[in-house]
Amino acid sequence: MKVFGANELLEDVFEKNLCIGCGACTYLCPYFRSYRGKTAILFPCNLTQGRCWAYCPKVEVDLDDLSERFFGRPYEKDPLGFHRSVKISKAGRQVSEGSFQAGGTVSALMSFALSKGYISAAALTDREGLRPVPRLAQSTDDILRCSSSKYTASPTLSALNQAINEGHNQIGVVGTPCQVLAIAQMRSNPMGDKDFSDPVSLVVGLFCTWAVDFREFDAFISERIEGSRITKVDIPPPPAEIMEVYTDNGKIEIPLDEIRELVPNTCSYCTDMTAEFSDISVGVLEGRPDMNTIITRTERGEKIVDEARKEGFLILDDIGKENLEHLIWAAGNKKKRAFIKAKQEGMLNAREEGARCYLRVRPETVEEIIA
Amino acid sequence: MSYLIDNTEGAQYLLMGNEAIARGALEAGAKVVCGYPGTPSSDIIESLAKIAKDMNIYVEWSTNEKVAMEVAAAGSFAGLRSMCVMKQNGVNVASDFLLHLAGSGTRAGMVLVSCDDPGALSSANEGESRFFARLVEIPLLEPGDFQEAKDMIKWAFELSEEIRNLVMVRSVTRMSHASGNVKFGKLPPGDVHAVFKCDGFILDPMEGAVMSLPVRYKHALQQEKIKKAGEIFEDCPFNSYHGPEKPEVLIITSSACNLYSREAIGILGVEDRVGLLKLGTTWPLPPELLKRHLSRTDKILIVEEVLPFLEENVKILAAEMAPEIGIKTFHGKNDGTIPAVGELNPDLVVGALAQIVGIDYKPVPDEYAEKAEGVPTSRAPARELTFCPGCPHRASFWSIHNALQLDGRKGFVCGDIGCYGMATLPCGFSTLKTLHAMGSGGGIASGFGKLGRLGFDQPVLAVCGDSTFFHAEVPALINAVHHNSDFTLVVLDNSGTAMTGFQPHPGLKVSAMGEDVTSVDIAEICRALGARVEIRDPFDLGETQETLNELIEDKAGLKVLILRQICALSPEKKAGKKYDMTIDDEICLGENCGCNKVCTRIFRCPGLVWDKEKMVTRVDDVICSGCGVCADICPEGAIKRKEVA
């Protein structure tokens, strides 16, 4: 993997508006910080190589390398990424009631992993008003407080980096595909640190088609709710095409087309809907608001899902053929669109000496995907 | 007891020019002296403040220069000799009152001392105050040595009473801050009784109303006064000529340039070829005196600093007298013989004179110049202007910079003159983007804060010092509140007029004379204006930055953050360390990813030094002031602070 430094990160990601504000580069050093949904660089750093660059999911991501490392094979065209199983799920009776989006599968998995000691803390995303706030959860109550989708790009990984700084070494993380990609890069020790040991014990990925820019979303919603307090935000599964914002003064509905205007451009280059480098990925299930779709990818993911089911934290069922086909169709569409766009704009596989690019993946695979 | 009040006639002291001016005021029996601090003028008030009680005089650091001139004028109106003192740009501040005062006239002698700063050694401008004398039609004197600095002040008071108008005396840095022998005169008896007589005929200059109305009458009167001054100047002891009867070249000069010119003539050994007309009365120029000397030769070199004031005025006279004195060739600033900007020195004058008299002389031989140029870069470490160790401004601008970066909307800071003006440089993280006159930060920010409707969406901050706040910031804030302009003012309150030497200001409980006075609360003023006001300690970096971000995001018009921390050099703080600072070499990340020398590369307090061999940071205990702030900068906690027992 090619590793550069903060100056190149500024040039390749910040100046090109590709930063999604995932938080991967923050709290590694005194220079990168997250603030109100955006990543800021406080001062220039002139090191030629840095973790900020190495972890960033928006530059020099070598999908084949990562796939080899985590799944023992090069990156393939499968819209869902490498996986062991796809099922549907919801929280079991061992999980106390929470304000879940859909089936509560993510809260159930994290609660289970924490209660079994598989993880000692979880880097999650809480919310203050509309603002996503990274949290390091260390109890089941903490985990449940962070339940439900935020729909805004959030700097969750700043909680992860701070947890590592504080010495945690068995951390669970719940993240969007871009965040999960950053974690995968972090876990592959790109700086070749001799003392490196993987501090992340469980990665639960969230399905994501896009996220909105928090600052724009905040300004947009503030105009419409006139000081009311937001209690929950939901996008019901298709074909609803609306966002529901619940406030203490009732619910307002906003057409999704208006919300999509607030999606940062960087999401249009994202090839991953289902967080392909997670242990387990979870999303909504069309037509069943009480259930989630759950994809198991790794051995340890499979083990946790299985145990959680056995111990009453998770209820699993088979995904129907139609739902699976729809999932593959949606994920494939996102992947294809993004690869076409990235390729057209020359963001793939830069070959010239010293050239840097967004993604690296075998050209044959790219052709298969966009065919 | 201060030597300045030694009443032995003929006693000789080595005095700084500013002390000589102060002694002159004492010998003249001045009773009211006020000013606003500003290098190179501050020592005059400081010297007099120390002996004010002994000498039964009233000395004041006023809120600003205009107020200082008004307070001094009250002394004159009440029959007391009075003096006001300021630096060159202070005269601009006072100029509105100056215009009207020159029109109304004065009673007891009143002198305005302006200390200009050629080369802007301690200024944000290379302002020229002499034009004010011409502009408002008052006499101007310029001392040419240290004895004159004293004697001329006394003479200026007498002149002021002769013409019943203000007299301006202009010094420059090298006159105010250099020293020379001064022979003392007697101090007058101190009995006075102040009374303002105002019940006489309205136009009576000594008992009527003091005003510049009716304008035509008063203006004509004022012109008679200046004409009279010109006549007196014909025989003034401060104008002198040295040199041959018919020199090849006549140098006309004034002020410190008199000393440079004398030295230049000596160095070139052209005493028999070059004449030196040293003028002490530079406005209005005495025409007969000038005619006499201009008739000596056809080649004139005018040596002066800042603007060609003398040069232009001499040329006007020479043009008028041309039929009698013939056509002259002038050298000076206009033809480039004398540099147009920057200070002069003997070398520059030697160079100019050598060129005119045709002597091949280089004040600095090329070989030497080349060597000299190389020395600082080869032997001395590269340095730039920076805040002192422990300076609260470094911490304040750290937080301001970080708050603006986090905000991410390309916010900036507007400011003015003060140590914090260095925030335009890396020591203040290059945060300050406009720098003009006292209080201009607030005024400019008030303007930016109204541009929202024209598409402007950058956050705007202004900074001012505590003394500046009182001096000129308040009208800008009133403007901002009245027009609902959106910006955040940060008052960098270091408890004194720190840059010029900790002179008191209205926010403090002590006056220039050391008396207890009422302090005026900056926060209360701002609250009364309707601003949201927060007060923080800039050494608490986290809280300061959070507060800043909150204020920047608050769109409720004017917000004020007062960052209160005493200047590291203040007499109260000096030599008192709060913390002993040490570095844990094991933890220091140095140049590695995760830090990359944030303390010595970015924060750059001079108290922190990079150890190139061990690749860790060191504390320079000699200069570290123990503020403890760097411990909060270090990402790894390698900089340790331990409270001094």
Side-chain angles (χ1 to χ4, degrees):
Chain A
M1 179 188 181
K2 288 187 175 184
V3 179
F4 292 88
N7 285 334
E8 289 82 5
L9 190 66
L10 281 185
E11 197 178 310
D12 296 346
V13 179
F14 286 75
E15 285 168 20
K16 290 182 180 159
N17 271 330
L18 289 179
C19 177
I20 186 63
C22 70
C25 60
T26 65
Y27 291 96
L28 298 169
C29 69
Y31 307 116
F32 288 94
R33 291 289 181 270
S34 290
Y35 185 73
R36 298 188 77 239
K38 288 233 186 293
T39 302
I41 179 159
L42 300 184
F43 294 100
C45 171
N46 54 3
L47 292 182
T48 52
Q49 294 200 317
R51 290 171 293 171
C52 53
W53 167 281
Y55 298 173
C56 179
K58 296 290 180 176
V59 70
E60 281 297 339
V61 176
D62 193 321
L63 291 173
D64 289 323
D65 258 16
L66 289 174
S67 195
E68 285 281 1
R69 189 187 152 76
F70 289 98
F71 307 120
R73 66 190 70 198
Y75 188 75
E76 288 169 0
K77 69 169 185 178
D78 187 337
L80 304 185
F82 177 82
H83 57 275
R84 290 162 186 262
S85 67
V86 183
K87 290 186 179 320
I88 65 171
S89 62
K90 68 175 181 180
R93 63 194 144 67
Q94 290 296 330
V95 183
S96 43
E97 286 289 307
S99 168
F100 303 131
Q101 213 88 22
T105 300
V106 176
S107 299
L109 286 169
M110 297 316 278
S111 301
F112 173 72
L114 189 70
S115 68
K116 294 295 281 185
Y118 291 137
I119 59 174
S120 63
L124 307 174
T125 313
D126 196 356
R127 172 163 61 209
E128 283 172 11
L130 283 177
R131 185 164 65 93
V133 180
R135 287 258 189 270
L136 192 68
Q138 301 191 59
S139 71
T140 313
D141 284 350
D142 288 350
I143 289 171
L144 293 180
R145 250 197 300 280
C146 295
S147 68
S148 90
S149 290
K150 308 304 180 289
Y151 299 108
T152 50
S154 56
T156 313
L157 300 186
S158 68
L160 173 62
N161 287 341
Q162 288 181 84
I164 296 169
N165 290 344
E166 286 163 18
H168 288 277
N169 55 11
Q170 256 194 303
I171 309 166
V173 194
V174 177
T176 53
C178 48
Q179 291 167 341
V180 167
L181 195 55
I183 296 166
Q185 297 195 95
M186 190 197 88
R187 293 172 66 198
S188 55
N189 188 22
M191 300 285 279
D193 183 352
K194 289 191 290 293
D195 306 326
F196 181 82
S197 71
D198 184 354
V200 178
S201 302
L202 174 64
V203 179
V204 174
L206 302 168
F207 292 6
C208 178
T209 42
W210 41 255
V212 291
D213 178 287
F214 160 69
R215 294 189 188 190
E216 291 195 23
F217 187 48
D218 187 49
F220 178 91
I221 296 289
S222 298
E223 277 177 23
R224 288 164 175 77
I225 62 167
E226 290 168 352
S228 309
R229 199 177 61 84
I230 290 164
T231 51
K232 186 181 169 172
V233 180
D234 193 17
I235 298 179
E241 273 296 305
I242 50 157
M243 173 182 269
E244 299 170 337
V245 179
Y246 296 81
T247 76
D248 46 12
N249 279 327
K251 183 175 87 169
I252 60 166
E253 294 186 352
I254 301 162
L256 268 192
D257 276 346
E258 288 185 34
I259 299 294
R260 284 197 191 96
E261 295 285 309
L262 311 174
V263 176
N265 190 38
T266 183
C267 289
S268 64
Y269 297 97
C270 176
T271 62
D272 183 359
M273 189 185 94
T274 60
E276 295 171 27
F277 292 92
S278 67
D279 293 303
I280 305 158
S281 292
V282 179
V284 292
L285 177 64
E286 196 153 328
R288 287 285 301 274
D290 61 325
M291 295 296 283
N292 291 108
T293 305
I294 181 167
I295 301 178
T296 317
R297 302 186 188 279
T298 62
E299 206 173 306
R300 75 182 183 190
E302 197 167 50
K303 179 169 170 265
I304 284 173
V305 169
D306 195 41
E307 285 182 22
R309 181 186 59 80
K310 282 181 186 153
E311 299 198 16
F313 278 79
L314 203 62
I315 295 166
L316 289 175
D317 205 345
D318 288 335
I319 186 166
K321 184 166 174 277
E322 201 181 319
N323 273 326
L324 181 62
E325 277 172 4
H326 181 76
L327 178 68
I328 292 169
W329 174 81
N333 256 351
K334 180 177 178 184
K335 192 181 292 291
K336 186 173 172 179
R337 267 201 308 269
F339 267 110
I340 290 172
K341 189 169 163 74
K343 191 184 174 207
Q344 275 172 354
E345 296 182 23
M347 292 165 73
L348 303 176
N349 300 323
R351 290 280 170 238
E352 308 83 70
E353 180 72 22
R356 310 181 297 262
C357 64
Y358 167 48
L359 282 183
R360 289 191 186 275
V361 61
R362 287 178 305 164
E364 314 85 90
T365 314
V366 177
E367 293 314 314
E368 282 172 30
I369 290 167
I370 64 182
Chain B
M1 185 166 281
S2 167
Y3 51 85
L4 280 182
I5 54 175
D6 181 349
N7 203 10
T8 321
E9 200 172 355
Q12 272 208 46
Y13 283 95
L14 179 69
L15 292 192
M16 202 161 71
N18 278 345
E19 291 177 306
I21 289 170
R23 171 73 188 191
L26 291 174
E27 288 184 13
K31 285 289 161 194
V32 178
V33 185
C34 21
Y36 183 81
T39 314
S41 72
S42 312
D43 327 76
I44 300 171
I45 300 275
E46 299 222 299
S47 313
L48 290 170
K50 283 183 201 144
I51 53 174
K53 285 181 187 161
D54 296 324
M55 296 299 290
N56 190 30
I57 57 178
Y58 177 69
V59 178
E60 172 181 297
W61 280 125
S62 307
T63 304
N64 66 29
E65 291 86 352
K66 176 170 177 277
V67 175
M69 195 179 283
E70 287 156 351
V71 171
S76 165
F77 300 164
L80 304 174
R81 285 190 169 181
S82 65
M83 184 164 87
C84 56
V85 182
M86 54 204 64
K87 71 180 295 179
Q88 75 276 2
N89 43 314
V91 185
N92 299 34
V93 177
S95 62
D96 193 17
F97 179 65
L98 176 61
L99 173 67
H100 289 89
L101 180 65
S104 78
T106 54
R107 289 188 182 168
M110 180 168 170
V111 174
L112 158 65
V113 177
S114 165
C115 300
D116 289 12
D117 185 16
L121 304 171
S122 316
S123 303
N125 62 79
E126 199 176 19
E128 165 69 86
S129 69
R130 292 181 296 176
F131 282 90
F132 277 105
R134 198 168 113 179
L135 187 71
V136 305
E137 300 169 281
I138 56 170
L140 172 68
L141 307 178
E142 294 185 69
D145 62 32
F146 305 94
Q147 183 69 43
E148 273 191 13
K150 175 184 82 68
D151 296 343
M152 197 178 260
I153 291 290
K154 189 161 177 257
W155 197 79
F157 276 105
E158 287 158 13
L159 175 66
S160 170
E161 282 169 9
E162 187 82 27
I163 62 166
R164 296 291 173 209
N165 211 351
L166 183 67
V167 173
M168 179 167 171
V169 178
R170 183 241 199 184
S171 175
V172 293
T173 305
R174 303 296 173 183
M175 184 57 61
S176 285
H177 281 172
S179 299
N181 278 352
V182 177
K183 195 182 271 185
F184 281 13
K186 286 291 281 184
L187 295 173
D191 309 333
V192 288
H193 179 69
V195 58
F196 178 43
K197 293 180 186 160
C198 53
D199 293 334
F201 172 55
I202 191 163
L203 294 181
D204 185 305
M206 299 307 285
E207 295 190 1
V210 189
M211 57 182 182
S212 55
L213 304 173
V215 172
R216 279 181 65 100
Y217 168 74
K218 286 286 172 75
H219 193 191
L221 191 63
Q222 190 187 347
Q223 291 188 339
E224 276 173 38
K225 293 175 180 182
I226 192 79
K227 198 166 162 237
K228 188 170 172 192
E231 285 159 14
I232 294 170
F233 287 172
E234 294 287 0
D235 301 311
C236 173
F238 303 115
N239 299 327
S240 61
Y241 174 77
H242 292 280
E245 190 56 33
K246 291 281 174 197
E248 284 170 48
V249 179
L250 174 70
I251 294 180
I252 304 180
T253 188
S254 64
S255 193
C257 295
N258 169 47
L259 302 172
Y260 307 151
S261 301
R262 268 157 57 182
E263 207 170 325
I265 292 169
I267 288 170
L268 291 178
V270 289
E271 290 85 349
D272 55 345
R273 296 172 63 194
V274 177
L276 178 67
L277 176 62
K278 175 253 158 198
L279 291 174
T281 64
T282 43
W283 183 259
L285 289 175
E288 291 306 318
L289 180 111
L290 263 294
K291 190 193 284 176
R292 258 194 335 273
H293 294 293
L294 287 172
S295 302
R296 292 177 189 277
T297 182
D298 291 338
K299 254 189 216 168
I300 319 289
L301 169 64
I302 294 170
V303 181
E304 65 188 318
E305 289 175 310
V306 193
L307 293 180
F309 177 75
L310 201 51
E311 182 173 340
E312 288 173 6
N313 295 330
V314 169
K315 282 176 176 172
I316 290 170
L317 282 180
E320 287 170 359
M321 297 168 181
E324 294 167 77
I325 63 170
I327 306 297
K328 307 292 172 189
T329 304
F330 287 97
H331 301 285
K333 282 180 175 279
N334 276 10
D335 74 342
T337 308
I338 298 291
V341 295
E343 268 197 304
L344 292 188
N345 57 38
D347 281 348
L348 288 169
V349 181
V350 168
L353 187 57
Q355 185 191 323
I356 295 168
V357 296
I359 293 177
D360 186 18
Y361 178 88
K362 281 216 159 131
V364 183
D366 290 342
E367 197 194 346
Y368 181 90
E370 211 170 283
K371 262 191 196 165
E373 208 159 90
V375 168
T377 47
S378 66
R379 299 285 171 86
R383 281 184 193 160
E384 59 196 21
L385 287 171
T386 189
F387 296 126
C388 306
C391 176
H393 295 334
R394 179 179 290 103
S396 296
F397 283 105
W398 177 270
S399 298
I400 290 172
H401 168 90
N402 286 354
L404 289 175
Q405 290 298 109
L406 290 174
D407 180 87
R409 290 177 290 157
K410 300 198 181 309
F412 57 89
V413 186
C414 303
D416 61 23
I417 305 160
C419 291
Y420 51 88
M422 286 195 291
T424 52
L425 305 174
C427 70
F429 318 108
S430 308
T431 326
L432 190 59
K433 300 300 186 187
T434 76
L435 189 163
H436 298 88
M438 299 280 283
S440 290
I444 291 174
S446 174
F448 278 124
K450 285 308 294 177
L451 301 182
R453 68 180 70 183
L454 300 170
F456 183 85
D457 62 358
Q458 296 161 268
V460 181
L461 269 72
V463 288
C464 74
D466 37 341
S467 191
T468 310
F469 178 86
F470 297 107
H471 180 286
E473 196 71 44
V474 178
L477 299 186
I478 293 171
N479 191 67
V481 170
H482 179 60
H483 293 102
N484 195 29
S485 177
D486 177 25
F487 74 93
T488 304
L489 171 73
V490 182
V491 182
L492 303 164
D493 182 352
N494 56 11
S495 295
T497 317
M499 193 182 197
T500 48
F502 305 103
Q503 292 81 7
H505 61 60
L508 303 180
K509 290 185 164 68
V510 64
S511 73
M513 291 166 62
E515 292 176 330
D516 293 341
V517 286
T518 307
S519 67
V520 180
D521 189 332
I522 294 175
E524 285 307 316
I525 291 178
C526 295
R527 284 192 192 106
L529 287 175
R532 174 180 172 188
V533 179
E534 304 288 344
I535 302 170
R536 298 287 183 276
D537 175 358
F539 285 175
D540 186 335
L541 299 175
E543 214 187 31
T544 301
Q545 174 254 305
E546 276 172 31
T547 308
L548 275 163
N549 279 112
E550 202 185 309
L551 293 177
I552 292 168
E553 282 155 35
D554 181 352
K555 299 231 177 291
L558 176 67
K559 289 87 57 177
V560 177
L561 173 63
I562 300 172
L563 292 179
R564 204 171 270 168
Q565 181 64 244
I566 298 175
C567 171
L569 298 182
S570 80
E572 287 157 80
K573 235 186 200 182
K574 220 170 181 177
K577 268 192 185 183
K578 188 168 183 206
Y579 298 106
D580 276 328
M581 307 303 294
T582 51
I583 308 285
D584 186 333
D585 289 4
E586 297 300 309
I587 305 179
C588 177
L589 274 180
E591 288 181 324
N592 290 314
C593 178
C595 180
N596 191 17
K597 305 197 290 184
V598 68
C599 60
T600 54
R601 190 176 63 91
I602 305 288
F603 188 63
R604 296 177 74 169
C605 173
L608 295 169
V609 186
W610 176 244
D611 182 336
K612 275 185 195 160
E613 273 160 29
K614 293 199 168 167
M615 304 289 274
V616 291
T617 293
R618 295 253 157 275
V619 174
D620 183 344
D621 285 320
V622 177
I623 59 169
C624 171
S625 75
C627 71
V629 173
C630 55
D632 294 324
I633 301 293
C634 179
E636 296 296 301
I639 305 180
K640 309 280 187 195
R641 65 183 157 216
K642 199 180 119 204
E643 206 148 340
V644 175

